[in-house]
Amino acid sequence: MGKRPKRRVDELQVQDVGVQGLRVSDFESVADDSSEASSTIDTTSMNHSNYFCIGGGGSSTSTCLTRELNQLPMPNREQVGQDLYGINSAEGDIPVTPELLHRLEMEVRKLDENSCDRKAYDRACELSPSYVYKESFRTMFLRATEGDCKKAAKRLIRHFSTKLRLFGEEKLVKDITLSDLDEYDMESLESGGFQVLAEKDLAGRSVLYGRYTSMRYRTIDNMLRALWYIWMSILEDPVNQIKGVVAVGYEVGRVPLDRFDGLGEGEGSFEMYNADGGFDRDLARQIVSVPLSVPARPVGYHLCTDSQQWVGILNMIMVTLCKFIRLRMRIHHGSDQECKYALMTHGMPTGSIPVDAQGNTSLTRHMEWIENRRHIDAMKDS
């Protein structure tokens, strides 16, 4: 893999984050029109010292998201708090009726038939109508968008477009199993850069753990295919379809960014375009294509770090996100003990975080998860 010139972390531009052609606003479900701010304090104002925003400093950084939250109607604020803290999580499922499924198909047909996404969807329909029109499959997309047929239609056709690019036409209309991943895809999966925690959160939702500096990949597509497999495995559980999924990013301890000066060669620097802990901006841009292409509804994001440089990078990412995601994202800056305590107050299963106080990552439970998936996939392939 060829080398790219190094850049200082503080030179990264906000526009570097994002994937061309994807609309992150498809996650948006909170109305932009703000009602009169209420002075009532709810759970969403807890731990406000963990809130960060771009362009602020001192006390202003701790009030950015609080101010945005206070502009929402009370029911919306309460929902954000419930999503983040795993309390009173909605148990109800949307009623999927023949009328709703018909509306979904009508919204699909309204989309540009000459677009790459629509062409991939139409090809999937030609290959296996039974797979594409399976009620349980379409229900996943309706649940992910809480019954919004227009958003579900966009996600559905993007699903097949991304899947076609990553896996090819021969795997377009089948559930991806471990046998569909090649040697280098498995290398990325087994790196533990993404893992499903062994325990669920307080609300019974699965937790997707990510550690950017643990990721290993020969090409970015290796990492994307591994992540696709993990996401679709999580979504096999109807509870995760209904209640959503929580994500935890954990860059605490032994993080190469702490040693990065962006200058010469040697121990004090690293390549930004490699798979051994460097900050690969291309991966950062492209990795969002997976959760935006699968029928997932992430309802909470917790980003933990002991590095001030990571805080800067995460702040840049936050400012590019839609309101729905941004209001459900929290940055926890501190030691391993401090970050795990903050996660615990949000209902996270901190005992399952595979990183110890010294920053060492354990793959034991992750390899057990992969082995369990082998047995599950064997029944699918038989």
Side-chain angles (χ1 to χ4, degrees):
M1 184 178 295
K3 295 184 178 180
R4 292 190 174 186
K6 300 179 180 182
R7 295 174 62 189
R8 296 186 64 88
V9 171
D10 57 8
E11 290 177 349
L12 298 179
Q13 300 298 311
V14 169
Q15 58 265 31
D16 284 340
V17 183
V19 179
Q20 185 177 5
L22 291 180
R23 296 181 180 273
V24 182
S25 59
D26 287 344
F27 270 140
E28 183 69 85
S29 66
V30 178
D32 289 331
D33 296 333
S34 303
S35 65
E36 184 177 352
S38 169
S39 59
T40 304
I41 298 175
D42 63 4
T43 56
T44 60
S45 62
M46 298 170 62
N47 292 332
H48 65 80
S49 61
N50 290 327
Y51 300 175
F52 290 82
C53 66
I54 298 299
S59 61
S60 66
T61 60
S62 66
T63 60
C64 289
L65 292 184
T66 303
R67 185 185 308 116
E68 194 167 25
L69 280 166
N70 287 337
Q71 294 173 346
L72 294 176
M74 179 57 71
N76 296 88
R77 273 191 280 165
E78 290 178 346
Q79 186 60 54
V80 172
Q82 290 169 5
D83 287 345
L84 275 170
Y85 289 90
I87 55 176
N88 299 323
S89 185
E91 297 287 344
D93 190 8
I94 61 169
V96 178
T97 62
E99 290 75 20
L100 189 64
L101 292 169
H102 176 71
R103 282 170 49 202
L104 171 59
E105 180 60 18
M106 291 302 98
E107 291 296 337
V108 169
R109 294 303 164 190
K110 290 178 184 178
L111 299 175
D112 183 7
E113 62 184 17
N114 293 317
S115 69
C116 293
D117 289 355
R118 176 63 188 277
K119 288 179 179 178
Y121 172 83
D122 289 343
R123 181 56 180 153
C125 291
E126 293 173 1
L127 292 171
S128 178
S130 61
Y131 183 90
V132 178
Y133 286 93
K134 188 177 181 180
E135 182 174 327
S136 60
F137 177 69
R138 296 197 155 214
T139 296
M140 294 169 68
F141 291 89
L142 289 167
R143 285 171 171 166
T145 58
E146 298 181 293
D148 188 317
C149 291
K150 183 175 292 186
K151 292 178 181 178
K154 291 179 181 179
R155 187 83 66 88
L156 179 60
I157 67 169
R158 185 188 302 139
H159 175 85
F160 285 107
S161 179
T162 303
K163 189 176 183 181
L164 178 63
R165 191 191 72 78
L166 289 177
F167 296 98
E169 187 172 294
E170 67 277 7
K171 299 173 184 176
L172 185 60
V173 288
K174 72 178 296 288
D175 293 340
I176 300 300
T177 63
L178 288 175
S179 62
D180 295 313
L181 304 182
D182 65 24
E183 174 187 358
Y184 296 143
D185 298 337
M186 287 300 301
E187 183 180 76
S188 296
L189 179 64
E190 293 172 354
S191 71
F194 286 108
Q195 303 182 30
V196 182
L197 295 190
E199 299 175 84
K200 296 190 175 184
D201 78 343
L202 189 64
R205 304 171 297 194
S206 288
V207 181
L208 176 63
Y209 158 92
R211 187 170 173 87
Y212 184 87
T213 45
S214 292
M215 297 178 192
R216 300 291 181 268
Y217 50 94
R218 304 302 178 97
T219 69
I220 290 175
D221 281 352
N222 296 139
M223 198 72 244
L224 298 184
R225 283 190 284 268
L227 181 57
W228 180 284
Y229 177 80
I230 291 174
W231 265 115
M232 293 306 293
S233 298
I234 290 174
L235 295 170
E236 289 177 4
D237 185 346
V239 172
N240 294 326
Q241 300 174 25
I242 297 168
K243 291 187 175 183
V245 180
V246 182
V248 173
Y250 208 79
E251 301 297 341
V252 180
R254 299 195 174 188
V255 178
L257 283 175
D258 288 335
R259 304 191 305 273
F260 176 60
D261 60 15
L263 301 174
E265 301 291 336
E267 190 173 337
S269 62
F270 61 84
E271 292 293 335
M272 295 189 69
Y273 191 73
N274 60 15
D276 57 4
F279 184 75
D280 187 338
R281 294 181 298 112
D282 290 336
L283 176 64
R285 285 195 300 264
Q286 295 186 47
I287 210 163
V288 73
S289 66
V290 176
L292 286 176
S293 301
V294 298
R297 187 167 62 90
V299 291
Y301 304 80
H302 298 275
L303 309 174
C304 304
T305 182
D306 56 358
S307 164
Q308 193 61 44
Q309 288 175 304
W310 263 112
V311 170
I313 291 173
L314 296 174
N315 275 327
M316 287 194 298
I317 293 174
M318 281 187 73
V319 79
T320 69
L321 301 174
C322 71
K323 185 186 294 184
F324 181 85
I325 297 178
R326 186 169 59 251
L327 292 179
R328 289 163 173 78
M329 183 175 287
R330 297 295 179 265
I331 299 176
H332 308 293
H333 182 214
S335 65
D336 176 77
Q337 182 179 10
E338 291 168 332
C339 287
K340 287 180 178 176
Y341 179 79
L343 290 174
M344 184 173 61
T345 65
H346 288 78
M348 293 294 103
T350 55
S352 293
I353 301 292
V355 181
D356 62 22
Q358 289 71 46
N360 301 306
T361 300
S362 171
L363 295 177
T364 302
R365 289 186 175 181
H366 181 54
M367 298 307 293
E368 291 174 354
W369 179 84
I370 292 176
E371 190 58 32
N372 183 55
R373 290 300 311 178
R374 290 189 194 280
H375 295 297
I376 295 173
D377 288 351
M379 291 186 288
K380 291 182 180 180
D381 291 333
S382 61

